[in-house]
């Protein structure tokens, strides 16, 4: 990434579970860090260190559906309780907010605004705030 970056429009690190030590370098390159249900099986202390290393303005949330079923899913795919679905992003939100000592409403607002920033572009139907 260093060789071809930085990425001023942003780059998303999908289902991030990487080392907290690399977060500052990746942030300088324009990275956003997306957390999914893959974070939940980690030891809570390890997950907390990863999440807290990421600047709030770089956090995104995802489900990685149909993979990464959260450890506390709210919704199941009818006929297959092992598959994840997009509605379970709420479980990811609750978990990551608890790791950051934020309310789920605060983190939802942060993640939403970050998503607007990374997915908006000139001429987009999604207005950049």
């Amino acid at each position: 990434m260093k060789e071809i970056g930085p990425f001023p429009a942003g780059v998303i690190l999908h289902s991030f579970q990487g080392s907290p030590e690399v977060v500052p370098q990746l942030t300088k390159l324009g990275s956003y860090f997306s957390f999914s249900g893959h974070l939940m099986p980690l030891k809570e202390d390890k997950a907390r260190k990863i999440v807290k290393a990421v600047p709030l303005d770089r956090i995104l949330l995802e489900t990685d559906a149909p993979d990464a079923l959260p450890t506390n899913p709210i919704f199941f795919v009818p006929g297959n309780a092992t598959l994840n679905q997009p509605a379970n992003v709420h479980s990811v939100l609750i978990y990551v907010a608890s790791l950051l000592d934020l309310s789920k409403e605060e983190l939802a607002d942060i993640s939403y605004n970050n998503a607007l920033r990374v997915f908006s572009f000139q001429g987009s139907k999604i207005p950049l705030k």
Side-chain angles (χ1 to χ4, degrees):
M1 287 181 69
K2 285 181 184 177
E3 291 177 19
I4 61 172
F7 306 93
V11 62
I12 298 171
L13 301 176
H14 161 66
S15 289
F16 187 75
Q17 298 176 69
S19 168
E21 289 78 22
V22 300
V23 169
Q25 299 137 338
L26 293 170
T27 301
K28 285 180 188 172
L29 291 171
S31 297
Y32 285 81
F33 303 80
S34 187
F35 298 111
S36 72
H38 284 299
L39 191 67
M40 294 174 163
L42 300 178
K43 290 185 177 178
E44 190 171 315
D45 187 54
K46 181 177 181 176
R48 181 174 283 108
K49 285 178 184 174
I50 294 168
V51 169
K52 285 195 172 240
V54 176
L56 291 177
D57 68 344
R58 294 295 168 155
I59 290 177
L60 297 170
L61 303 173
E62 65 170 293
T63 59
D64 194 25
D67 298 318
L69 185 68
T71 54
N72 59 345
I74 297 171
F75 302 97
F76 292 95
V77 173
N80 191 336
T82 65
L83 291 178
N84 195 6
Q85 66 163 301
N88 283 320
V89 73
H90 192 258
S91 295
V92 176
L93 167 69
I94 292 168
Y95 183 66
V96 175
S98 74
L99 295 175
L100 292 170
D101 299 315
L102 294 173
S103 71
K104 64 182 182 179
E105 292 81 11
E106 288 172 307
L107 183 57
D109 190 54
I110 289 166
S111 178
Y112 174 77
N113 286 311
N114 293 345
L116 285 179
R117 194 169 43 260
V118 75
F119 291 115
S120 294
F121 55 90
Q122 186 83 16
S124 172
K125 292 182 180 180
I126 302 172
L128 185 59
K129 288 185 177 183

